[in-house]
Each structure stands twice: as C-alpha cells, then as structure tokens.
C-alpha cells in the first residue's frame, strides 16, 4: 500500500473574513489585515481571495513583493489594472499581470448599485521580466465535465490554472507537468472528492509529491479551480 500523500485541507469555516464598507473578503491565507500564523503562504502561492465588491466601490491592494495576480470574475464585471489604465473583465474571462513590489492592484466595480464577486489569486513572481497585463477568454462549454486550462506556465507565469464545472459523479484526472509542483484545488460551488478528501464550497486542498490527482464531483454544477504552482 502506497504511503499517503503529503496534504493539507483548508476548511471554509476557518478562512479569514474581512468586511469593510467597500467589500467583503474570504481569504484562504493571510492577506492584508487578516494575519494568522497557521495560514501562511505555501511556497509561491501567496493568496487566494474570494471578494465581493459593492456597487461603485474601488479597492487598491499594494504588493509587498513582486507577484503575478490573476483576477477571475464570478458574477458581473470588474475593472482591474496595475497602472492608471484599467481593463474591464467579465465572466468567461480572466485577467492577469505582474504587480511589482511597492506597486498596487486596482479593482473597481463599474456598476453603481450591484455588487460583483470575483477571485484574486497571488503567486510570487519569478526573477524574470514581468508579465504584462493580459485578458484570457474561455467559454462555459469548455468547462462542462472537464478541467479547462485557462493559464499555463508558459512565458513568465510560475503557475497554471484550470477551471471545471461538473455534473454529479463525473470524474476528471489532473496530470501534473512538474513533479515537484504544489497541487491546490479550491471549490467554488458544490462538493468534490479529491484524492479521497471531501471538499465543499470554499474548501481548499493542497497536495505535494504526486503525478496526478483524481477528482469526482458529488453534486451537479460543481465548480472547481485547480492550481499547479512550480517552486
């Protein structure tokens, strides 16, 4: 019998919650005002935040170290950028760029009265030329019972990101490209079993020392994000 894989589960009810007049944030790891000695970054993976930004509001998030930031809208549209010019990003798109140490990511809700919800993921940037801003498009059809790779490790990106939406009892196998990489699954909706671990909405699972990971959806319209982060 093979020994169990090194793993760590991040349960949703233990995430950091931050509520301000501008937004509400759920953080898997220590981020900004939320600091927890038990919730430190995992290698290059610095932060996974699920944010709800209220109508007409803006966030300015400074980077304490150079990081690649990916913004994934879940409902509505979000304007984001590192400099003065902001890009409008909608559902079925993702936006990413390197944020230099001392610079800041700006996030703005273009709707006057409606809140928008999105993920922002931060990964420590490699010591190479920064990745310029880019908008990545996909379709929901690509996600149906499939892990669709939206971001790859090509270029200056130190991670890949896949997104999938599954019906109950549908399965997928994620094959890691880097044997020493961190595998991280974050459930956006529904429930999954990932390598024998049960995950519900907003739960996260980190795994190391594996070549592939098996996922099975336990509910309909179950939505999961999979990250492969290279050292």
């Amino acid at each position: 019998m093979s020994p169990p894989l090194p793993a760590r589960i991040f349960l949703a009810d233990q995430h950091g919650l931050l509520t301000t007049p501008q937004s509400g944030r759920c953080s898997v790891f220590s981020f900004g005002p939320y600091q927890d000695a038990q919730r430190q970054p995992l290698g290059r993976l610095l932060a996974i935040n699920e944010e709800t930004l209220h109508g007409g509001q803006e966030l300015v998030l400074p980077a304490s170290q150079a990081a690649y930031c990916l913004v994934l809208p879940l409902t509505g549209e979000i304007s984001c950028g590192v400099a003065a010019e902001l890009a409008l990003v909608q559902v079925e798109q993702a936006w990413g760029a390197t944020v230099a140490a001392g610079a800041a990511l700006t996030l703005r809700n273009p709707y006057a009265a409606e809140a928008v919800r999105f993920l922002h993921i931060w990964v420590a940037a490699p010591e190479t030329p920064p990745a310029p801003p880019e908008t990545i498009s996909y379709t929901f059809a690509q996600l149906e019972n499939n892990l669709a790779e939206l971001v790859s490790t090509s270029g200056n990106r130190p991670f890949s990101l896949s997104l999938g939406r599954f019906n109950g009892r549908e399965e997928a196998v994620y094959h890691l490209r880097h044997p020493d990489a961190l595998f991280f699954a974050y459930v956006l909706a529904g429930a999954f079993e990932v390598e024998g671990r049960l995950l519900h909405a907003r739960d996260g699972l980190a795994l190391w020392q594996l070549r592939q990971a098996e996922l099975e959806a336990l509910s309909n319209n179950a939505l999961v994000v999979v990250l492969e982060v290279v050292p």
Side-chain angles (χ1 to χ4, degrees):
M1 183 176 180
S2 300
L5 294 170
R8 183 176 175 188
I9 294 180
F10 296 81
L11 296 176
D13 60 5
Q14 297 174 5
H15 294 343
L17 301 178
L18 178 68
T19 301
T20 70
Q22 290 76 35
S23 68
R25 181 183 305 153
C26 175
S27 298
V28 178
F29 307 113
S30 294
F31 186 85
Y34 166 65
Q35 295 294 317
D36 186 334
Q38 303 301 316
R39 293 279 179 137
Q40 296 305 304
L42 298 178
R44 285 190 180 276
L45 184 56
L46 303 177
I48 299 176
N49 301 307
E50 193 169 337
E51 190 105 29
T52 299
L53 187 59
H54 303 314
Q57 298 298 315
E58 178 179 284
L59 290 176
V60 178
L61 303 176
S64 59
Q65 67 180 93
Y68 186 93
C69 184
L70 183 78
V71 178
L72 182 68
L74 302 175
T75 62
E77 300 174 328
I78 184 73
S79 296
C80 46
V82 180
E85 185 174 348
L86 302 183
L88 183 64
V89 188
Q90 58 190 348
V91 174
E92 293 188 292
Q93 289 183 325
W95 177 93
T98 298
V99 184
L105 173 69
T106 298
L107 300 161
R108 182 181 301 156
N109 184 348
Y111 303 109
E114 297 180 16
V116 295
R117 187 166 64 95
F118 55 95
L119 283 184
H120 50 107
I121 298 170
W122 299 69
V123 181
E127 294 181 1
T128 55
E134 59 180 338
T135 300
I136 303 147
S137 297
Y138 65 94
T139 66
F140 286 129
Q142 292 176 265
L143 310 182
E144 290 303 315
N145 297 318
N146 176 59
L147 284 173
E149 186 178 71
L150 306 187
V151 178
S152 71
T153 54
S154 62
N156 297 331
R157 292 181 293 264
F159 72 101
S160 64
L161 180 142
S162 299
L163 181 64
R165 185 171 63 181
F166 296 86
N167 294 322
R169 298 303 175 185
E170 291 289 341
E171 299 179 354
V173 178
Y174 181 86
H175 297 274
L176 282 83
R177 293 188 173 88
H178 303 271
D180 53 351
L182 163 69
F183 170 92
F184 196 94
Y186 181 80
V187 177
L188 287 167
F192 284 87
E193 184 178 287
V194 182
E195 283 296 311
R197 282 84 169 178
L198 177 61
L199 303 177
H200 293 98
R202 288 185 170 176
D203 288 346
L205 172 66
L207 292 169
W208 295 267
Q209 300 176 18
L210 73 165
R211 294 184 177 180
Q212 65 181 41
E214 297 181 0
L215 302 87
E216 180 183 1
L218 303 179
S219 60
N220 289 325
N221 296 316
L223 189 62
V224 64
V225 171
V226 169
L227 295 164
E228 179 178 348
V229 185
V230 298

